Amino acid sequence: MDKEQLHEARTNPDFIKYLEETRVKSIEEENISAMYETLDSMLVLDLDEEKINKLYEQILKTSFANVEKIVNKNEKLKLEDDNLLYVRAFYEHAIEKWSYDNFDGAKELIFVLANIIEDEELEKALNVLIIVLSTKNQLDFFYDVSVDNDKEPSEEKYGYFIMSFKFNTEEFLNDNKQTLENEYKNLKHLLDS
């Protein structure tokens, strides 16, 4: 969207009314797909911050509740349908914690996520983040130094996650195998509940 289209969408009362109705309805129905669609639109249009925050809060509540149900059935999350959005919410929450230098909180969420998903590629990328978080590197520094922004995700489902690095993932994981094992040992209690 260019500036003119953004302005037009922001000032179109019918569209704003539709967006608000969709926001309210998606929260009532706990429809994660509609909630994310609305959130993404509200963010692009830079609309009411309080409503955006409340919607994001509801996305987290809905995601965490549904992830708990899935995990309690001893199932793993595949990166498809609503499960992809639950993983996205979990991941975004971890990245948010990291952005506020809450390294341990971010690492715990990333660790849990790495253990409840059924996707080898994302699991490897999450393990990279666990290692990086153990060094307490700030998110911006890590992003500038280690993330390859020029590389497109191999599949659309990976578009929400940091998947491409300026180093070989396999080598990095191998070189830091001991750190990762220690982190898994220290964090495994999170999976016992």
Side-chain angles (χ1 to χ4, degrees):
M1 277 189 149
D2 62 26
K3 281 184 178 181
E4 195 174 309
Q5 290 169 318
L6 277 172
H7 178 73
E8 197 174 302
R10 243 186 240 120
T11 56
N12 180 334
D14 292 336
F15 181 69
I16 297 298
K17 182 179 179 223
Y18 163 78
L19 210 53
E20 179 59 17
E21 287 169 356
T22 306
R23 183 185 74 82
V24 170
K25 187 177 178 196
S26 69
I27 290 172
E28 284 171 5
E29 296 174 353
E30 295 185 347
N31 180 335
I32 190 79
S33 180
M35 280 191 268
Y36 255 123
E37 208 173 288
T38 307
L39 178 73
D40 291 342
S41 296
M42 291 176 75
L43 286 168
V44 166
L45 297 175
D46 196 23
L47 297 177
D48 187 326
E49 193 176 334
E50 192 177 320
K51 286 182 180 179
I52 288 172
N53 290 338
K54 278 192 170 55
L55 183 56
Y56 181 63
E57 239 173 71
Q58 190 57 49
I59 286 172
L60 290 177
K61 280 182 195 168
T62 302
S63 297
F64 279 68
N66 284 300
V67 165
E68 187 177 1
K69 287 176 195 167
I70 293 165
V71 172
N72 285 342
K73 289 193 267 181
N74 289 322
E75 295 175 5
K76 290 199 171 209
L77 290 114
K78 294 181 178 171
L79 298 185
E80 53 193 36
D81 305 320
D82 284 354
N83 283 2
L84 174 60
L85 298 175
Y86 302 147
V87 172
R88 174 185 171 185
F90 225 88
Y91 184 85
E92 288 173 346
H93 191 52
I95 297 298
E96 182 183 20
K97 283 184 178 294
W98 190 0
S99 73
Y100 289 111
D101 294 342
N102 181 348
F103 303 108
D104 291 338
K107 185 170 50 175
E108 288 171 0
L109 283 169
I110 295 287
F111 169 78
V112 170
L113 199 50
N115 284 277
I116 63 172
I117 58 164
E118 193 174 298
D119 190 281
E120 197 177 324
E121 288 304 303
L122 181 56
E123 188 178 336
K124 286 177 189 174
L126 294 172
N127 284 331
V128 167
L129 299 188
I130 290 169
I131 293 164
V132 172
L133 282 160
S134 74
T135 65
K136 300 200 181 318
N137 265 315
Q138 290 186 315
L139 178 61
D140 289 344
F141 175 79
F142 168 71
Y143 209 81
D144 291 343
V145 172
S146 301
V147 176
D148 184 355
N149 292 312
D150 298 330
K151 192 172 179 189
E152 290 291 317
S154 59
E155 294 180 53
E156 190 178 325
K157 66 183 178 182
Y158 296 129
Y160 302 115
F161 313 104
I162 300 171
M163 299 291 293
S164 302
F165 307 102
K166 294 179 182 174
F167 49 77
N168 181 292
T169 304
E170 295 291 338
E171 285 175 21
F172 182 84
L173 290 172
N174 203 34
D175 293 346
N176 294 282
K177 199 164 118 181
Q178 192 58 55
T179 302
L180 190 60
E181 283 175 13
N182 291 341
E183 290 298 336
Y184 266 68
K185 206 179 300 174
N186 294 334
L187 296 168
K188 75 174 191 234
H189 69 276
L190 296 170
L191 302 174
D192 294 338
S193 50

